[in-house]
Amino acid sequence: MRRDMSKIRVRFAPSPTGYLHVGGARTALFNWLFARHNKGDFILRIEDTDQIRSTNQSIDEIMVSLQWLGIDWDEYYRQSERSDLHQRAAEQLLDADAVYEEEGALWFKVPEQGEIMVNDLLAGTVIFANEQLKDFVIRRSDGSFTYNFACVVDDSDLHISHVIRGDEHLNNTPRQILLYHALGMPVPKFVHLPMILGPDKTKLSKRLGATSVLDYKARGFLPTALLNFFARLGWSHGDQEVFTKQELIDLFGLTAIGTSAAIFDEEKLLWLNGRHIKLIDPEKLVALVEPFVIEAKIADQIQWQSIEHARLVSIVTLLRDRSHTLIDLATAMAILFPITFDYDAETARQYFSPDKINLMEGIIAALQPLDQFTAAAIEAQLRVVAAEQGVKLKDIAQPCRYAVTGQTVGPGLFHLLEVIGKELTLQRLSDRLAAMKRDG
RNA sequence: GUCCCCAUCAUCUAGUGGCCCAGGAUACCGGGUUUUCAUCCCGGCGGCAGGGGUUCAAAUCCCCUUGGGGACGCCA
């Protein structure tokens, strides 16, 4: 087989012992961006040599997570299916007298003297003394191969050009280099990424929870926002904060990666998600928010489909300015559906007091005759009512808004009413008026 | 304990010896715009961990201290 040896080939090599968390996702992203930027290959290799802890469910979840993020791979391998390769390499070391057997396990002999130099593209040259490395197992007594060994054999066999991985692997690197040398294989370039720490400043762990990529999906984050956020944890491009996926690919480079660990700050992610929600095509936003509307039981499938598509596009365009997540957006969309609001007693006293009955009647009378229920027409009519009643526009707008949306805050009222539609608007206003008369 | 890595506002970061008595972003606090809230715009708060060097000049280079993190498995 011929290969272009200069081609950039990187891999993401997760162990399938749990879900994909944000630290792993960031590592995957940096590898992927590096590959895509350089027109190289991105390989997904599942490191499932720990047969006890590895699960298929975990493999599925990792793949689903990556797919959702939009990180696609060019090749896929499972380390456990490559044991023939590992076995041959082990025998090669056995023949070379580089390993010895003890209690059924195969141990690699580390020279007692000397030192091993790691040339990391980020950390620079790091020197390890052999004496503190100690011999290590490459094949367990059950016949399976350990991480350090399988990793080296696979990276070598797959012609990985750059090993881009978390900082916590830096200490493994001298052992791996020793293995490359013993196997007579070329050593790839190493890039050890600074870690992502939790809010407590310790290593992100699966035990801590809430760091799963899929959790962020469920909480209404956009994959592009997450990608953007992950990229900015350690990587930067001047003062730019918001990046599209394509910009990330175009601009990404190893030299712009920092060296210190970063803490995962959800506040900023929330802000960034809001920015991406404003950036995305409204048509796509409609499709993205639908499952959240259904999930939250704001509307069922039938009700959702009963709304004209154009109205859905209009409403998300109006509502997205104040949405940080798709859940925010879905929640705000409740006004489109025939639900009853829980009017807060105190707020209702303010807007629906008996002295407001004339006002409410005026609003209804003004909107009732409109044939074209458009924002412009609604605004014109409501301004007339305000003038006639001798009050400010807000004194009309707020009671009207509260009656029709159950909220005191929201998008511009005229456009909002247009999207909600004449029927629902008038029905809600009439219901309120009736209640005001009854209670008053 | 041993080894390794790291060190600019609370947080993410720009900064590769002079352009920096340090810039941007989030958060927070004011103000403006608006029918409300948000968005948006303007302003404010806030940092080069400490100490030694090197240099005409250091956030930037070197050393030490301190602090933080990681690794020390027949886990990955």
Side-chain angles (χ1 to χ4, degrees):
Chain A
M1 171 166 51
R2 290 211 162 270
R3 266 187 211 276
D4 175 4
M5 296 304 285
S6 66
K7 189 172 193 188
I8 299 288
R9 284 172 62 82
V10 294
R11 86 299 195 277
F12 175 53
S15 64
T17 54
Y19 51 76
L20 181 66
H21 60 82
V22 295
R26 207 268 310 237
T27 301
L29 174 66
F30 279 33
N31 273 283
W32 183 81
L33 287 175
F34 185 61
R36 292 291 171 263
H37 177 88
N38 293 293
K39 307 264 188 289
D41 297 324
F42 174 74
I43 295 158
L44 175 61
R45 188 178 72 220
I46 303 294
E47 310 246 318
D48 57 347
T49 54
D50 181 348
Q51 289 159 2
I52 302 189
R53 297 197 305 155
S54 297
T55 65
N56 284 329
Q57 186 197 337
S58 182
I59 294 176
D60 287 345
E61 185 160 343
I62 288 168
M63 291 171 77
V64 167
S65 300
L66 289 174
Q67 281 162 349
W68 176 71
L69 284 169
I71 296 177
D72 57 340
W73 52 92
D74 304 301
E75 295 168 32
Y76 170 75
Y77 303 96
R78 285 180 66 155
Q79 200 158 54
S80 62
E81 293 169 354
R82 301 167 59 80
S83 49
D84 287 354
L85 192 70
H86 306 145
Q87 183 58 34
R88 278 201 297 281
E91 279 159 15
Q92 184 189 335
L93 292 186
L94 216 38
D95 291 344
D97 203 27
V99 294
Y100 59 90
E101 189 157 353
E102 190 178 291
E103 293 186 27
L106 221 46
W107 293 73
F108 182 82
K109 272 191 274 197
V110 175
E112 291 182 17
Q113 303 291 313
E115 56 190 27
I116 186 87
M117 206 184 273
V118 178
N119 289 308
D120 187 275
L121 263 34
L122 247 38
T125 301
V126 185
I127 294 167
F128 295 85
N130 284 346
E131 60 179 350
Q132 69 209 30
L133 256 30
K134 294 188 284 187
D135 294 356
F136 56 93
V137 170
I138 66 165
R139 193 182 65 198
R140 304 183 184 94
S141 46
D142 69 0
S144 65
F145 294 93
T146 60
Y147 162 75
N148 273 130
F149 184 68
C151 179
V152 164
V153 173
D154 283 337
D155 283 343
S156 184
D157 179 68
L158 298 172
H159 293 88
I160 299 301
S161 63
H162 294 70
V163 172
I164 305 173
R165 83 237 290 198
D167 224 352
E168 72 268 30
H169 288 287
L170 186 56
N171 290 303
N172 283 317
T173 311
R175 292 186 185 85
Q176 297 187 0
I177 289 176
L178 246 17
L179 249 15
Y180 280 107
H181 290 339
L183 257 9
M185 293 162 165
V187 181
K189 300 225 185 324
F190 292 103
V191 180
H192 285 95
L193 266 17
M195 303 189 48
I196 296 181
L197 273 20
D200 61 349
K201 297 191 81 172
T202 63
K203 185 178 178 179
L204 284 178
S205 110
K206 291 168 184 172
R207 288 176 296 122
L208 251 59
T211 59
S212 157
V213 166
L214 259 22
D215 279 352
Y216 286 97
K217 179 190 180 196
R219 288 171 54 199
F221 288 90
L222 261 31
T224 52
L226 231 26
L227 250 29
N228 188 159
F229 184 68
F230 290 155
R232 286 288 291 107
L233 250 29
W235 176 84
S236 62
H237 184 255
D239 285 340
Q240 190 172 344
E241 294 288 351
V242 182
F243 298 84
T244 62
K245 194 164 142 185
Q246 191 56 49
E247 283 178 308
L248 250 21
I249 292 172
D250 292 342
L251 300 170
F252 187 80
L254 258 23
T255 51
I257 300 176
T259 48
S260 54
I263 291 171
F264 195 89
D265 177 22
E266 234 182 67
E267 294 280 7
K268 191 164 178 178
L269 172 58
L270 229 30
W271 167 78
L272 202 50
N273 202 52
R275 291 295 298 259
H276 279 264
I277 283 179
K278 290 169 193 62
L279 230 49
I280 200 171
D281 172 26
E283 300 268 349
K284 286 184 186 153
L285 201 48
V286 169
L288 286 168
V289 78
E290 178 183 349
F292 288 92
V293 170
I294 307 295
E295 167 73 19
K297 293 190 165 36
I298 289 159
D300 61 31
Q301 204 76 48
I302 309 278
Q303 289 171 317
W304 176 268
Q305 281 162 1
S306 72
I307 311 271
E308 285 172 72
H309 187 66
R311 284 180 66 205
L312 291 174
V313 172
S314 299
I315 196 79
V316 299
T317 306
L318 285 180
L319 293 172
R320 66 170 164 180
D321 273 355
R322 68 223 77 216
S323 301
H324 283 123
T325 68
L326 292 174
I327 289 180
D328 293 345
L329 184 59
T331 305
M333 289 178 79
I335 53 173
L336 267 191
F337 301 97
I339 56 165
T340 47
F341 303 120
D342 291 325
Y343 294 100
D344 170 70
E346 193 167 333
T347 314
R349 258 198 299 283
Q350 183 186 346
Y351 292 128
F352 304 150
S353 56
D355 62 303
K356 298 284 197 308
I357 289 177
N358 281 345
L359 208 64
M360 199 62 84
E361 285 177 332
I363 294 170
I364 293 171
L367 297 181
Q368 192 81 64
L370 285 178
D371 288 330
Q372 299 293 313
F373 205 67
T374 62
I378 293 164
E379 174 167 8
Q381 289 295 80
L382 290 186
R383 285 195 186 277
V384 168
V385 175
E388 283 173 357
Q389 306 242 359
V391 297
K392 290 179 179 173
L393 185 59
K394 67 181 287 188
D395 297 319
I396 296 275
Q398 284 304 86
C400 182
R401 173 189 301 282
Y402 197 48
V404 180
T405 70
Q407 304 251 311
T408 57
V409 302
L413 183 66
F414 316 124
H415 284 98
L416 199 55
L417 295 188
E418 176 184 326
V419 178
I420 289 171
K422 183 176 178 181
E423 188 186 347
L424 207 46
T425 295
L426 284 172
Q427 182 196 318
R428 284 171 177 162
L429 287 170
S430 305
D431 286 352
R432 270 313 92 199
L433 180 60
M436 285 159 76
K437 286 179 170 169
R438 184 180 64 234
D439 298 341

